[in-house]
Amino acid sequence: MNIGVLGAGQLGRMLALAGYPLANRFTFLDTTGHPSAGIGDVMIDTDRKHLDAFLEKVDLVTYEFEHLPVSLVQAIEEVKPVFPSSEAIRICQNRAEEKALFDRLSIPTPAYRLVEHADELEAAARELGCPVVAKSVTEGYDGKGQAVLKDPSEAHEAWCAINHPRLVVEAFVDFVREVSIIAVRGRDGEVVFYPMAENQHEDGILRYSIAPMPDLDPRVQQVADGYIRTLLDELDYVGVLTLELFQTRDGALLANEMAPRVHNSGHWSIDGAVTSQFENHLRAIQGLPLGDTSARMPTCMVNVIGREGEMAEILALPDSHLHRYDKSERPGRKLAHVNLLAPTHEALLERVRACAALLPDAPAPQFSFA
């Protein structure tokens, strides 16, 4: 089967690598003019002149990046099956729609307000109590389009810095850790869940993900499974969905945002799970049986950001698996990731610290259970 992928970055690259053993072929449609997949058949189409040629080559379409024109996805749906659907992408790329969906499905979130003017931002900051985080309603990812207000007087400066006509303003949460739940729903409605991951961010970009979490109450996993299953069923979703959450001191979970695709916090599954998120996404969209999502052993994904460092030394670490994206170095750019495995979480943390010491500017891992 020839699978069309909207977007041509590292997520598409890893989808293709997972799909070749299934005899899948891949055609990527890049709408940015800067593809980096380096694999499969890449078509650059910044003005939709090549869309028909793309659709003639593929049997079905998925995407690795949700910041796409909804009208483009809807137009493709008229011709070929698209998984996940345009409705999923419409909601996930708009934080106001996403918050409304969470509210409707009784999935708790941090307190928030929607604002359309700097004065409204200031009022929301006073009402919610600083610090607050202001985010553009659309187009923000990896920390972009955001500002933290430590005082309401900073509202006008933040408004100008974000430069977006509508913002969502969120109260800060006293959380013990950031976590994510990844689930897969097949075309027949079957759902499987990956073990929850604990995530550590740096400047809004994911740096470490560890799964499974050694100190996770099974009831918390069940709550997360319930939240994401509700979302999957409501959207009649097919494929991998990710839900990022805050875990508070009393064990409660608050939804931050969701992503309608394979996700950075699931990269650990390539080497650490029986079936990776990439293979399971491909199984789901083709109507194939879903694979086992259980972890083989404790695993940590380490993102390589900005500069690569000495890759040979990283490969020399025990049970180290390097996945390079064939990208040039640039501050803040995701260049690769390393999956580290160990029989115990204590041994795993030692390997993660050793790996971090080999990466330029990498912060020390600070997991809640360490």
Side-chain angles (χ1 to χ4, degrees):
M1 181 175 287
N2 195 326
I3 296 174
V5 181
L6 302 180
Q10 68 263 20
L11 297 180
R13 177 188 181 94
M14 286 181 272
L15 276 171
L17 290 170
Y20 285 144
L22 299 174
N24 294 145
R25 299 179 305 281
F26 291 84
T27 302
F28 298 93
L29 187 72
D30 173 73
T31 59
T32 68
H34 304 285
S36 63
I39 199 169
D41 183 6
V42 179
M43 300 178 65
I44 297 176
D45 188 19
T46 57
D47 51 14
R48 294 201 193 182
K49 290 183 178 178
H50 304 291
L51 181 58
D52 289 342
F54 168 75
L55 293 176
E56 286 177 3
K57 297 185 67 171
V58 304
D59 299 303
L60 58 81
V61 176
T62 189
Y63 42 87
E64 57 124 41
F65 184 64
E66 66 266 36
H67 298 285
L68 295 161
V70 175
S71 60
L72 170 64
V73 183
Q74 291 172 334
I76 293 172
E77 281 179 323
E78 296 294 321
V79 182
K80 291 291 171 72
V82 178
F83 303 111
S85 69
S86 62
E87 178 65 5
I89 204 171
R90 183 187 71 81
I91 291 174
C92 288
Q93 70 178 215
N94 186 303
R95 288 191 170 101
E97 295 282 353
E98 186 178 73
K99 297 286 190 187
L101 178 64
F102 290 159
D103 289 345
R104 189 168 74 251
L105 298 179
S106 299
I107 298 173
T109 67
Y112 72 94
R113 301 290 183 271
L114 295 170
V115 301
E116 298 181 356
H117 190 274
D119 292 340
E120 292 181 0
L121 174 56
E122 182 175 353
R126 293 187 187 282
E127 183 179 356
L128 294 171
C130 285
V132 297
V133 59
K135 304 176 182 178
S136 59
V137 166
T138 61
E139 301 171 357
Y141 62 96
D142 281 349
K144 299 178 177 67
Q146 300 185 17
V148 175
L149 282 70
K150 298 180 180 178
D151 188 271
S153 63
E154 299 171 0
H156 285 263
E157 180 182 354
W159 180 268
C160 293
I162 297 174
N163 191 28
H164 194 277
R166 198 176 190 210
L167 308 181
V168 58
V169 188
E170 299 175 349
F172 256 67
V173 177
D174 183 22
F175 62 88
V176 293
R177 56 188 169 193
E178 296 176 77
V179 299
S180 56
I181 176 70
I182 294 177
V184 196
R185 187 174 186 269
R187 290 168 70 164
D188 60 356
E190 178 190 6
V191 178
V192 294
F193 308 92
Y194 283 91
M196 288 177 69
E198 179 176 347
N199 305 316
Q200 181 182 331
H201 291 80
E202 177 191 15
D203 297 327
I205 303 175
L206 184 66
R207 179 62 88 161
Y208 304 103
S209 286
I210 195 164
M213 297 156 57
D215 58 345
L216 183 68
D217 188 321
R219 292 172 294 184
V220 175
Q221 174 85 43
Q222 290 169 7
V223 169
D225 290 353
Y227 289 161
I228 199 166
R229 180 188 283 276
T230 300
L231 290 166
L232 290 164
D233 290 343
E234 174 71 15
L235 296 170
D236 194 19
Y237 194 95
V238 175
V240 165
L241 180 70
T242 306
L243 180 62
E244 298 179 38
L245 305 125
F246 301 111
Q247 185 178 10
T248 59
R249 298 188 184 281
D250 61 0
L253 297 174
L254 299 177
N256 179 25
E257 60 186 26
M258 61 182 182
R261 52 174 169 80
V262 288
H263 194 261
N264 201 173
S265 69
H267 289 1
W268 68 270
S269 66
I270 297 175
D271 302 291
V274 176
T275 311
S276 77
Q277 64 165 343
F278 298 96
E279 181 180 337
N280 255 337
H281 183 77
L282 295 171
R283 289 187 182 209
I285 66 177
Q286 293 176 88
L288 299 173
L290 302 183
D292 186 350
T293 56
S294 60
R296 296 182 183 276
M297 65 175 69
T299 307
C300 184
M301 186 280 304
V302 182
N303 261 342
V304 180
I305 300 171
R307 291 187 291 160
E308 287 200 287
E310 294 298 326
M311 296 294 101
E313 295 181 24
I314 290 174
L315 285 171
L317 296 172
D319 221 338
S320 172
H321 306 270
L322 176 61
H323 301 264
R324 301 177 72 186
Y325 307 153
D326 196 21
K327 289 182 173 183
S328 58
E329 295 184 341
R330 189 177 70 204
R333 193 180 202 190
K334 295 175 184 174
L335 303 174
H337 73 269
V338 184
N339 283 338
L340 299 160
L341 287 77
T344 67
H345 284 86
E346 291 75 16
L348 179 61
L349 283 176
E350 290 182 10
R351 293 176 185 179
V352 175
R353 294 187 185 106
C355 181
L358 297 173
L359 293 173
D361 309 318
Q366 302 290 335
F367 291 109
S368 61
F369 58 85

